[in-house]
Amino acid sequence: MQKLRLRRISILAFTLLCLLEITRAGDVTAASYTNAINATEKFNNLWSRNDMPVAAGVVGRSWLWGTQPIKVDLEPYLEAPGGSRQVVYWDKSRMEINDPNADPNSPWYLTNGLLVKELVSGQIQIGDNRYNVSSPALIPVAGDPAEVNPTAPTYATFTNLASLNNDHRATQNIGKPVNQWIDKKGNLKVDSLLEGYKVVASYYEPLVGHNIPDVFINYFNSMGAVYKDGYYAYDRLFDWVFAAGLPITEPYWTVTKIAGKEQNVLVQLFQRRVLTYNPANPPEWRVEMGNVGQHYYTWRYGSLPSPSILGTQTSSFVRFADNWQGDKLVEIGNGAIRREVLFGSQGGAKSTSIQNLLTGQEYLSNPGAEFKITMSHELAGEPDNNVVLDSGMFRATAFELPLQGITGSVARVQLEGEFQGALVKVWLNYQALSAENFIRKWIEVAPFEAPDWVIKQVILEDWQAIPALEPIAPVQRFEQTFGAGEPNYDASIVKKQVNLNSLSERYFVANESNAIAALDSQKEGLYFFDESLFGDELFTNSGNLKVGNTDFVEATNGFKSGSSVLGAWSGSLELGFKRYSEFLYNHYAIEKGKRDPVWFSTWYPYEQDINEKLLSDVVDRMQAAGFYDMLHIDAGWQFGAPLQVNTERFPNGLDPIVSKLKANNKTLGLWINPFSRSYEAQEGYNEFAAQHPEWVDTQDPKQRFCPLSGAGDYVQARLLEIARNYPLEEIYWDGRDWYISGCQSSESRWRTPDEEHHAMLKYYASLLSDLRAIRPDLRVSLWSAPANVHWLSVVDQVQLSDLDTPPILEAELARRQQMYQATYQYPYSAIWGDWYGVNYRRTLMQGLGQPLNILKYATVSVIGNGATQAAGSLDLTKVPKDYLSFLKELFNWRKQFAQYFTVYQHVLNFPDGVNIDGEAHILNGRGFIILFNPSPNSAQVDLPLSEPSLELNAATEYLINDWTALTAPIQMGKVKPGDTYMLTIPGYGYRIIGVNL
């Protein structure tokens, strides 16, 4: 290769610490740190080779990847270590490393995903041979977005034309003109006028049977400037099979809008890329890679990461500086928030600035210790002997910048101190990600000798804010609470125990908050969180912020804390809570990216009275209904021992049912309650308890099983066996297992109550991690009240209540009230909706015998959250045909737009059962507003487009459609936020309004 010494440019290093998400939970291992750095180099080198010359202005040609990453992340992949692979999304593609331990010199160590194949097929690949089923993408393959380009072909257009399974092969046409049009419906038409473009087929790919035109082959074989090892060189640009994959369609001409103007464009779909040829472009830009990375990310996750949270600068930064006294200053931040930390030359560390860069406002008034580590001597029988090691007792000895680049930066500071004569080394880590609105901080402690001493707590934020910063909390509507003040949603009997005063008030200046703080102008502020299973955070009206986590780790084992997170926001208070929820969903909750399957749950129609014959018939009826995804077998499937099949009811085990599910492309969900024996009447574990007295709590009259004994090993082995053998997509974990304490058996593996608490939750986290290594798409829903938002790093959904018997209409109103309140604390899709359907424990006249309009209203009331679990969980031999047909239409519509139901925005007032209420599901200016009329008489309401959390531009006209009929939207015109647009909602009725859809 000839080197061209055009000019030397420093390589942009990628930050993959955010990709590893090692600050979510678990330890940073040497291997993971090394893999992160190796991945940094590989991703960087692949991008730099082709696109560095474009970015630097050395050449003028189209991008192979794009200007900068869209998202750096981990995604589920069954065969990858830990069940997740490293990915970087770009405009044009997705880079991925499936096995970081493979040979890094292999050209296939880093690949770019088969995104086009997934977009066309509607199947999201989560393993070598495992897929989540979605719908083909309704996104134009080329040109402007669908809302302004409605007639352009989409990926779904090609579903029945593409070679997804070595089908739809074409005949060889080398030398013949490319002269076929394609429209959005997939209709093909030969047009001799297209021969004027002089594009001909020049290569036939025999493996898949498709012709490739000369304009694309010439592009594939093109030479030019590339960047390698710090120099520019002249070489072939890329291996086209590696970059694009094999063709899966023929080349077709189509009409699409580009920057609002209709143009003739040639498109061809390959496994990994879409290629376009636009004769109207300058020669060097006529062939381009389509924005497949953008399209795929939007299809899979609902929207691209929003730029609305950022200031004018989005890149992360780290700066080291010395002051005149010899102290070291470390500054880290991004486009939204900045932190400055001072490390004294004689010791000590403290933050000296916490600044909202969106507004320029400083929030820090008086700094506290940069960290505090609480040591306990309770293993020596001295539980009250606690010693606090704070940052003032440590001196910084090294400053490192292990990762810095266009995706993020990390500063790492080593400090040394002493505890009872032993050297204590700690590392403080600060992380800022580009294109985000938060920064992280965590601490690692090296193992040190301190017999019988444990690390019990770490405080990472303990500082005094300016007086104008105030704690904000949602108005508490539920009059009954748990001990720590969490709402008791089981007490939400409508109009009796819900405070309906001041319906329009959503939040107030509180004595304390565990989510956001706002400046007294209520136009900006901070959100805060601790990324740990044992996290705790609190901002009080005295202006003190504390963020940290408890734990129970012996000093000789070393320790890594969770991360404290500080995020900045500007705008209304509603946006403060929205930014908090967005952070939880996008960066902490494990649920993101998984599908929300339509259940048939056996509990609602049958409770525990189930058997093999009944469920075999249910699977047949599920298949005939045409909208179910999963059979969830609730209580009644076990007997004799936890997770052992009741052989009286299922003489052949679950295998015949599972075989039938697989044959019908359905998955399995299972109910479990393996330890607390909360449902002994249904399960009957007495014989098992007698066989294993060493696992039984000797102090408990129910004889519960202790998780930290051989019972835990047994449950883990049995669940892993089930996951390996069955298409397990959901576990519903019932009972009080997650709040077991003081479980004393002869095999107990804990010494103090604190150790039991922490070790038990770590056991559950490890168990679920092992399950997801087998089933990356597994969802775990937990009912163990009161729920804890920190659990969302290990469980997908938490159930907040168990309201099973309110009358129809009242039950649905209770759920809408719960969602209105709970979404200030939990991400919407991480709440397990506990709706019990329209006929649970109801007579015919109380349930399925109600008029169809009432059944429809009740179901749509919970379509965003709750309906997928319960709406179809009915005795299918008794469901009215018109209601079953409606359910099919409703669920097929919801699946088509599933991405919008991962989010929730508050509109109108708290649901009171009298006035119209509603909810919004808007992503980047598109989605739905659903309005409900809980009264028997029709009523009018102004379409609430001006709600701050919708973040719609007041100067923009939005296309409004009525989707109430589900299958045929009715155009209603264009409306600006702030314009009056009155809607009539019938009594016990609803309206589904699409925005830019």
Side-chain angles (χ1 to χ4, degrees), residues 716-735:
Q716 183 171 23
R718 183 69 185 118
L719 278 176
L720 292 176
E721 180 185 6
I722 290 171
R724 292 187 189 101
N725 295 330
Y726 296 155
L728 189 65
E729 186 175 9
E730 184 89 27
I731 289 176
Y732 176 82
W733 197 322
D734 205 344

Side-chain angles (χ1 to χ4, degrees), residues 686-698:
N686 285 335
E687 183 178 344
F688 184 74
Q691 292 172 353
H692 296 282
E694 71 278 12
W695 300 346
V696 173
D697 184 358
T698 58

Side-chain angles (χ1 to χ4, degrees), residues 17 149 314 356 370 427 445 450 544 552 587-588 652 695 732 777 808 828 875 889 893 910 941 984:
L17 221 56
N149 195 13
T314 63
N356 186 334
E370 193 64 7
W427 289 266
V445 181
N544 179 251
F552 193 96
H587 298 280
Y588 185 72
N652 300 299
W695 300 346
Y732 176 82
D777 51 342
I808 198 168
Y828 180 61
D875 185 341
E889 289 183 352
W893 170 81
F910 185 83
V941 67
T984 299

Side-chain angles (χ1 to χ4, degrees), residues 359 363 468-473 506-510 516-526 569-577 948:
T359 64
Y363 293 141
L469 200 65
E470 301 171 325
I472 304 296
R506 297 180 181 176
Y507 11 70
F508 69 110
V509 178
I516 77 166
L519 210 63
D520 52 12
S521 67
Q522 299 193 346
K523 294 296 183 182
E524 64 170 273
L526 286 175
W569 55 273
S570 65
S572 71
L573 293 179
E574 192 74 32
L575 289 181
F577 282 103

Side-chain angles (χ1 to χ4, degrees), residues 296-367:
Y296 183 89
Y297 193 92
T298 301
W299 171 65
R300 181 164 178 172
Y301 295 114
S303 67
L304 295 174
S306 173
S308 63
I309 63 175
L310 305 172
T312 55
Q313 146 132 9
T314 63
S315 298
S316 67
F317 57 86
V318 174
R319 304 182 186 105
F320 293 136
D322 296 308
N323 68 11
W324 64 274
Q325 294 176 312
D327 302 328
K328 180 76 76 174
L329 291 172
V330 177
E331 183 185 16
I332 188 164
N334 50 31
I337 187 168
R338 166 188 170 273
R339 179 178 209 135
E340 185 181 85
V341 188
L342 184 146
F343 293 89
S345 59
Q346 302 302 312
K350 61 183 178 182
S351 288
T352 54
S353 177
I354 304 289
Q355 186 181 17
N356 186 334
L357 295 181
L358 301 172
T359 64
Q361 178 66 50
E362 174 64 50
Y363 293 141
L364 179 64
S365 174
N366 294 312

